[in-house]
């Protein structure tokens, strides 16, 4: 049997997908929810409370504890762990973990008598990890932009971005120089988790590494000048950057306690978006992907390297080779959840009520910045209602509010993905909210494209398992896609709705410009934008 394990260390949970690659089946799934299952780490939504809304850190030991709990659960459900031929994983992007010189020694001597979190605690040179939702690095971004100007975007694929790892490292080195000096290695969430599995420092892959403002995408090496300027001695603290199909090592003996085979090959991990590109079978250009997770992301394999003139979109490595575009909207599912709570409905009720409001929602729109937003950059959160008097006073009915959040989220995706320069006729949709049929139809009508829903909703975890089969079992992605990524359901665009949404797109763009003060095609980074409620 050809059994592979994909792990998905995301913002709010750690999931496992075990696949039989020849049979084209997921044979076992399991997950640990950080808020519910590990409340002692005080991260109900995946991050620690902080009085500053721009600061979003998590406890890295929580991710480690989740690994023990997940494997215990897999063992309890008698998952065939001994038969696994290869492992890989997916990590929430940009988050960083800071380790001292003892990290590798501790990993090499892990005792099965004690849990991972206890044993790894002394290896941390920084107790918390900034994650992708953190926006506290405007000053560092401005410094990096002043120093490198347009070259930053041309060479790393993005201008200096608040949540990206380089600006985060620079801030740490400035604010806590002693702890920075105690840091021997800096890992991404993906390479940190891979390191634990294989008992030594694991490489960072080009997919996730491109989200750091440190990797030169022309040479596929850490950019010497940028790393030097970002923080003293940084180059030595970074693991090597490698292609996504490299092998990081063999499984550490600690994990035999769960029934895994010693030395099971571990392929390098990647970021959740690059893994999802694989998990939905879209690593060839021509098909775009919308992933509706904690954040909403829009991405596609690129025909050639190209950057976003507005500075909001990014270029990451495509795990199958070449590059992928990515645009991230921070206010994804947390914003939908706010509206659902406000309307006191279930998710089914939410979906049904959205359908009862008219296409175009009578012109009612909202800028859904419940929390700081990355596209466009909005550092001071605030939700802006636009449309009828009743809607703006928020005394409107639930269907109008629900339709407004969904249409607005679809419109901002359409607006900010234009720089990719492709009129996608097929878009694959994944993530929790892909279950919402009214949202799928809105997306189909806004993009005038067929929206295909794939059978397995955890595309990042599935993508990690497919990557494991590709890297450790030499199975081609083409063959794996045939077996795993068919789209059983699709929403077809209604051409009669095209004009309504073309007008809504213009109205949304005008509203965004009026409120942020920045024309949508103008560089939107490192600007402190204020939204009045
Ligand atoms: C992408 C981004 C998020 C995270 C968390 O740039 O910040 O999508 O990867 O999912």
């Amino acid at each position: 049997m050809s059994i592979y394990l994909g792990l998905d260390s995301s913002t709010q949970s750690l999931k496992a997908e075990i696949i039989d690659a020849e049979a084209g089946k997921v044979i076992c799934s399991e997950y640990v929810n950080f808020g519910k299952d590990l409340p002692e780490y005080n991260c109900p939504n995946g991050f620690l409370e902080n009085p500053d809304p721009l600061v979003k850190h998590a406890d890295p030991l929580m991710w480690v504890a989740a690994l023990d709990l997940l494997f215990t659960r897999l063992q309890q459900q008698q998952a065939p762990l001994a038969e696994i031929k290869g492992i890989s994983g997916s990590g929430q992007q940009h988050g960083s973990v800071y380790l001292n010189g003892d990290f590798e020694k501790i990993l090499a001597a892990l005792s099965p008598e004690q849990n991972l979190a206890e044993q790894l605690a002394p290896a941390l040179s920084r107790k918390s990890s900034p994650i992708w939702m953190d926006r506290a690095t405007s000053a560092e971004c401005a410094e990096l932009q002043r120093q490198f100007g347009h070259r930053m975007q041309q060479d790393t694929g993005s201008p200096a971005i608040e949540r990206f790892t380089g600006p985060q490292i620079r801030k740490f080195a400035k604010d806590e120089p002693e702890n920075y000096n105690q840091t021997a290695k800096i890992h991404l969430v993906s390479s940190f988790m891979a390191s634990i599995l294989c008992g030594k420092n694991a490489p960072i892959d080009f997919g996730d590494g491109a989200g750091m403002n440190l990797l030169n995408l022309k040479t596929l090496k850490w950019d010497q000048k940028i790393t030097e300027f970002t923080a003293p001695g940084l180059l030595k603290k970074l693991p090597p950057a490698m292609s996504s199909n490299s092998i990081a090592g063999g499984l550490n003996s600690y994990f035999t306690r769960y029934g895994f085979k010693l030395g099971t090959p571990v392929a390098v991990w990647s970021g959740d978006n690059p893994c999802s590109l694989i998990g939905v079978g879209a690593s060839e250009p021509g098909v775009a992907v919308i992933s509706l997770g904690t954040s909403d992301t829009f991405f596609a394999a690129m025909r050639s390297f190209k950057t976003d003139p507005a500075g909001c979109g990014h270029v990451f490595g495509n795990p199958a080779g070449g590059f992928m575009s990515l645009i991230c909207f921070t206010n994804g599912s947390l914003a939908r959840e706010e509206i659902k709570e406000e309307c006191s409905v279930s998710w089914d009720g939410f979906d049904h009520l959205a359908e009862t409001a008219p296409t175009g929602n009578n012109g009612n729109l909202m800028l859904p910045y419940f929390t700081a937003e990355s596209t466009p950059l909005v550092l001071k959160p605030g939700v802006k209602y636009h449309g009828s008097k009743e809607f703006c006073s928020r005394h409107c009915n639930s269907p109008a509010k629900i339709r407004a959040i969904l249409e607005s989220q679809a419109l901002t995706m359409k607006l900010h993905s234009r720089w990719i320069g492709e009129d996608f006729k097929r878009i694959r949709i994944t993530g929790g909210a892909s279950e919402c049929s009214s949202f799928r139809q809105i997306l189909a009508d806004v993009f005038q494209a067929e929206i295909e829903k794939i059978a397995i909703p955890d595309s990042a975890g599935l993508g990690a398992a497919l990557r494991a089969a590709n890297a450790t079992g030499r199975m081609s992605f083409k063959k794996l896609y045939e077996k795993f990524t068919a789209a059983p359901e699709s929403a077809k665009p209604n051409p009669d709705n095209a004009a309504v949404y073309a007008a809504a797109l213009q109205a949304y763009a005008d509203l965004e410009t009026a409120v942020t003060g920045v024309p949508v095609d103008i560089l939107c980074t490192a600007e402190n934008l204020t939204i009045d409620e």
Side-chain angles (χ1 to χ4, degrees), residues 279 428-429 435 452-458 462 484-489:
R428 295 208 136 183
I429 188 171
E435 294 300 326
E452 302 175 341
K453 179 171 165 277
I454 60 154
I456 295 153
D458 177 19
L462 176 64
F484 285 95
T485 64
E489 257 182 85

Side-chain angles (χ1 to χ4, degrees), residues 140-182:
E140 290 70 25
C141 287
E143 288 158 5
L144 284 158
Q145 279 305 124
R146 256 200 309 277
Q147 181 70 14
F148 296 103
H150 198 43
R151 174 167 108 73
M152 180 60 97
Q153 185 183 27
Q154 282 310 104
D155 289 350
T156 73
S158 307
I161 297 284
E162 283 71 7
R163 67 187 190 284
F164 278 32
T165 326
Q168 291 287 346
I169 296 172
R170 183 168 171 85
K171 181 168 170 57
F172 177 56
K174 277 165 56 183
D175 293 354
E176 300 179 46
E178 276 178 27
N179 290 337
Y180 177 77
N181 286 338
Q182 289 303 311

